[in-house]
Amino acid sequence: MAEITNEMILQAIKELAEQLKNHSEETNNRFEQIDQRFEQIDRRFEQIDQRFEQIDRRFEQIDQRFEQTDQQFEQTKQQLVEINERLDHVEQKIEEMDKQLTDVANGQKILVEELFENKKEIKRVKNILNIY
């Protein structure tokens, strides 16, 4: 009977050892699956990091373009100020020329009137001289 009990105990120990071995293999398989999943997650994070780097570079390019556009805008604005100043100067010159032309026109009008008066006077003098 002791032998049967020992055999039963030995059999139970073997079964427990087999279960423990199976359980260990199952646990190892689960850990391998978890490791693989972590590796997949790591690769995905690397891809995400690369995408963020690409996005960062794109934003840097956009920032540079905005800076260039701002510089061009400032240059254009300065050029516009300079053009406006030139136009003001030209406008003043035109006003001066207009005034001078008006003065010339008035002077010509006076000369024409005086010439007409002179011609009338010459005609009168000729008529007087022809009478005598």
Side-chain angles (χ1 to χ4, degrees):
M1 176 116 163
E3 276 185 38
I4 293 178
T5 306
N6 284 341
E7 279 185 36
M8 289 173 76
I9 292 174
L10 189 59
Q11 185 62 33
I13 290 173
K14 285 181 182 177
E15 288 177 11
L16 285 174
E18 186 65 30
Q19 287 177 4
L20 184 61
K21 180 181 171 187
N22 289 339
H23 183 69
S24 291
E25 288 176 2
E26 195 175 297
T27 302
N28 287 339
N29 287 338
R30 294 285 283 164
F31 274 120
E32 283 180 26
Q33 290 174 352
I34 290 172
D35 282 346
Q36 289 173 357
R37 184 68 182 140
F38 274 121
E39 287 175 7
Q40 289 173 352
I41 291 171
D42 282 346
R43 284 192 299 274
R44 184 68 182 137
F45 273 122
E46 287 175 7
Q47 291 172 351
I48 290 170
D49 284 346
Q50 289 174 356
R51 184 68 181 140
F52 274 125
E53 288 174 6
Q54 291 172 351
I55 291 170
D56 282 346
R57 284 192 298 273
R58 185 71 179 134
F59 273 118
E60 287 174 6
Q61 291 172 350
I62 290 171
D63 283 346
Q64 288 175 353
R65 291 177 84 184
F66 272 122
E67 286 176 16
Q68 290 173 350
T69 303
D70 283 347
Q71 289 173 353
Q72 289 173 346
F73 178 77
E74 287 300 320
Q75 289 173 351
T76 303
K77 190 171 132 182
Q78 182 62 33
Q79 289 173 349
L80 184 61
V81 167
E82 290 171 5
I83 289 171
N84 282 336
E85 289 172 356
R86 288 181 189 161
L87 285 175
D88 288 344
H89 184 69
V90 168
E91 187 177 318
Q92 288 172 356
K93 286 199 177 227
I94 289 173
E95 286 175 6
E96 289 174 15
M97 290 172 63
D98 188 43
K99 183 179 176 185
Q100 290 172 352
L101 286 174
T102 301
D103 290 346
V104 168
N106 289 338
Q108 286 179 339
K109 182 179 174 186
I110 292 169
L111 288 175
V112 168
E113 289 173 358
E114 285 182 16
L115 182 61
F116 180 72
E117 289 297 321
N118 287 342
K119 283 187 176 184
K120 279 179 24 181
E121 185 65 26
I122 290 171
K123 191 173 184 182
R124 188 181 66 79
V125 170
K126 277 186 177 180
N127 285 339
I128 292 175
L129 288 175
N130 280 341
I131 294 178
Y132 296 110

